[in-house]
Amino acid sequence: MQLRPIILAIGIMTILLGAAMIPCALMDLADKRPEAHVFAVSAFGSMFIGTCLWVLARGGDQRTGQREAFLLTVLVWVFLPAVAAIPFIASGMSLTDAIFECVSGLTTTGATVLTGLDDMPRGLLLWRAILQWFGGIGIIVTAIAILPQLRVGGMQLFELESSDISGKFLPRITDIAAYLGFTYLLISMLCALCYSLAGMNWFDAIAHSMTTMSAGGYSTHDLSFGYFNDTNAPYVATLFMFIAGLPQSLLAMMLLQGRIMPMIKDPQPRVYLLIALVLSLVIVAYHEIVVDPRIFETAAHAFKDALFNIISVMTGTGYASAPYDTWGEPVMAIFLVATFVGGCAGSAACGLKMFRLEISAKAIVAYSHRMTMPHRRTPIRYGGKVVDEETLQSVMVFVFLYLATFLVAAALLSLCGLDAMTAISGSATSVSNVGPGLGPIIGPSGTFQTLPDAAKWICAIAMLLGRLEFISVFVVLTRRFWQG
């Protein structure tokens, strides 16, 4: 195994992460905050570590293969949160809380242990937003350039043409990252402008644009988007959260090449929009028919709140415009289901993803037909093409690992002394990289601050497993991987 290219890539990313701390230092310096030196020292230390790794790894054989790709994918998401935690630790946070916050940030989960955000230094708030923005583009590149080549969870369906993992793996990732990064930056800037026009100040607009397009959900206020309910910002957020859950490569084709048909022909956006609308309408109907309709001013207001929070949970953004865990137990069940649904493949969104849901549903129907008619062979199609057995098996293995990880994490959280609702929703929201759970402790109005340290580590590990699509981690942990 060639370790030099892996160390080199991690070194470069560490340098970039350190450089990203500089604007936070400048922000605190401009606000005359005494914490300004924290980010300055952290930036220097991070860039020094990254430079040492770069010097250590440069030169020699830089060829990469599939094993190196697996290891790099895992190590990046394990090593970078440790580096990103330096400013939090230097600010007085415990190691557990700092790692939890950074894992949540870089995986764009959005679960937090912090309170008092309204009075927190803007440098620290900006750092949380930057972590999620960097994590978002990292997730998109991983989903489009790496996971299809590693044939993880059925992602080979989205394998790019003329791609070859052997020998030119890292250069190819650089090219794809530049192409997607420009699109990501362009849409983020447009989102910030729309937020500003909708009534946010410039700092909130920039911070929330970064956490919206990354489907992250970190806010600059304790009330999350409830702080902006008197403005038009929730409408902007709903639109751009939906955009964040779309396939980013197809968005790049639309914006940079003017090619609209690939987005129209892809079945994922249609299913994605349909599920969001149906779940929102079910919530509105429940409140208008079963519950007192006066809980909302109008049906339109109810639909706005329902659609905002459903898209937020589906994409894993995790913003909350209202305490939806108080809307009734049936509604809580709907949000728990939405936690697992996710967005489209190739986006920053989380969850099972649209294509896996569609393939799984079609597989169940096909196998049901075979039970009644054993000689009948019903091909499973996706996007007009027949899904081969290897891809189908990959999807089914992913779904099994997803559900198994959720159940194990929920059991472990319950052993930490958490009640059933907190354990189940905490596991679901961590594995699905959503952020807020359900109930009074970790619900949309709460935080993960009061959880035991053991529970926080369990949630952090579940976040990493969910973001790395499970199989990547399990492959690296096998003995054969290291013996091959």
Side-chain angles (χ1 to χ4, degrees):
M1 182 182 295
Q2 299 294 329
L3 294 179
R4 283 182 179 272
I6 296 173
I7 297 173
L8 178 65
I10 293 176
I12 292 172
M13 293 180 192
T14 303
I15 293 172
L16 292 175
L17 201 62
M21 297 178 188
I22 296 176
C24 303
L26 295 177
M27 178 67 69
D28 281 342
L29 191 63
D31 291 343
K32 297 181 180 179
R33 301 284 307 201
E35 303 91 349
H37 71 281
V38 169
F39 279 103
V41 174
S42 300
F44 174 79
S46 301
M47 288 189 286
F48 176 76
I49 294 171
T51 302
C52 290
L53 294 174
W54 176 73
V55 171
L56 178 66
R58 65 177 181 173
D61 190 352
Q62 296 290 337
R63 288 179 299 176
T64 53
Q66 192 173 55
R67 293 173 68 214
E68 286 82 2
F70 268 113
L71 187 58
L72 175 62
T73 302
V74 174
L75 287 183
V76 163
W77 294 97
V78 173
F79 184 80
L80 292 187
V83 176
I86 295 175
F88 289 110
I89 295 172
S91 300
M93 288 179 66
S94 68
L95 175 64
T96 297
D97 284 352
I99 293 294
F100 180 94
E101 195 77 12
C102 290
V103 169
S104 177
L106 284 169
T107 59
T108 71
T109 303
T112 184
V113 295
L114 297 178
T115 56
L117 299 177
D118 299 83
D119 300 320
M120 199 165 285
R122 291 198 297 174
L124 205 59
L125 297 176
L126 179 61
W127 180 234
R128 296 167 82 239
I130 288 174
L131 284 180
Q132 293 205 321
W133 196 80
F134 274 8
I137 186 60
I139 290 158
I140 292 168
V141 173
T142 300
I144 293 175
I146 301 177
L147 296 183
Q149 305 304 312
L150 302 182
R151 315 187 79 76
V152 169
M155 289 297 291
Q156 55 264 42
L157 285 171
F158 308 97
E159 191 169 346
L160 298 177
E161 296 179 0
S162 304
S163 59
D164 179 11
I165 200 171
S166 177
K168 54 183 180 180
F169 177 66
L170 292 179
R172 182 170 55 79
I173 291 181
T174 304
D175 294 339
I176 294 173
Y179 181 73
L180 294 174
F182 180 74
T183 305
Y184 187 67
L185 175 62
L186 189 64
I187 301 177
S188 298
M189 292 172 63
L190 179 60
C191 181
L193 176 61
C194 291
Y195 273 142
S196 179
L197 295 175
M200 286 189 181
N201 62 53
W202 69 269
F203 178 77
D204 283 342
I206 292 173
H208 284 87
S209 70
M210 288 192 283
T211 59
T212 299
M213 285 312 302
S214 63
Y218 274 160
S219 180
T220 55
H221 301 280
D222 288 322
L223 290 177
S224 187
F225 249 80
Y227 185 87
F228 304 103
N229 276 342
D230 295 332
T231 70
N232 291 320
Y235 295 101
V236 175
T238 303
L239 173 62
F240 281 95
M241 283 191 295
F242 182 82
I243 292 174
L246 292 172
Q248 296 299 301
S249 58
L250 302 186
L251 280 174
M253 291 180 189
M254 286 180 58
L255 293 177
L256 303 183
Q257 300 176 355
R259 297 168 59 189
I260 302 176
M261 291 309 297
M263 181 70 78
I264 295 175
K265 291 180 178 179
D266 193 319
Q268 288 194 102
R270 295 193 298 271
V271 177
Y272 173 41
L273 177 60
L274 179 63
I275 292 176
L277 290 177
V278 169
L279 293 180
S280 300
L281 289 173
V282 169
I283 292 173
V284 174
Y286 173 77
H287 272 286
E288 291 298 311
I289 298 172
V290 180
V291 185
D292 186 352
R294 289 173 296 178
I295 192 171
F296 294 110
E297 296 176 5
T298 62
H301 179 260
F303 181 74
K304 181 200 77 169
D305 266 5
L307 185 63
F308 176 97
N309 289 289
I310 279 293
I311 291 180
S312 177
V313 171
M314 279 180 59
T315 59
T317 307
Y319 287 144
S321 63
Y324 51 76
D325 57 345
T326 63
W327 292 356
E329 291 186 0
V331 174
M332 290 174 67
I334 291 174
F335 275 102
L336 186 60
V337 170
T339 299
F340 294 102
V341 172
C344 301
S347 70
C350 60
L352 287 166
K353 304 290 195 306
M354 295 297 123
F355 83 98
R356 293 194 185 102
L357 292 174
E358 183 175 344
I359 290 175
S360 298
K362 289 182 176 179
I364 292 172
V365 172
Y367 288 137
S368 298
H369 288 165
R370 293 178 190 177
M371 291 288 288
T372 56
M373 292 174 283
H375 298 292
R376 178 175 178 175
R377 289 293 177 264
T378 305
I380 299 170
R381 298 180 180 275
Y382 177 79
K385 298 179 180 179
V386 176
V387 179
D388 59 71
E389 285 298 323
E390 181 190 355
T391 302
L392 181 59
Q393 183 183 44
S394 184
V395 170
M396 293 306 176
V397 169
F398 176 89
V399 173
F400 170 77
L401 289 175
Y402 189 100
L403 296 177
T405 304
F406 157 68
L407 292 173
V408 170
L412 292 175
L413 288 175
S414 67
L415 292 176
C416 293
L418 304 183
D419 63 90
M421 175 60 71
T422 302
I424 292 172
S425 67
S427 174
T429 195
S430 298
V431 171
S432 300
N433 302 115
V434 172
L438 298 172
I441 300 176
I442 60 172
S445 301
T447 71
F448 286 67
Q449 185 181 57
T450 59
L451 297 190
D453 284 356
K456 293 174 185 175
W457 282 105
I458 292 168
C459 289
I461 293 171
M463 292 176 204
L464 288 172
L465 287 171
R467 186 44 76 188
L468 291 172
E469 306 261 299
F470 305 100
I471 299 173
S472 302
V473 179
F474 292 130
V475 166
V476 171
L477 293 177
T478 61
R479 180 182 299 178
R480 172 166 283 188
F481 176 84
W482 298 100
Q483 291 177 341

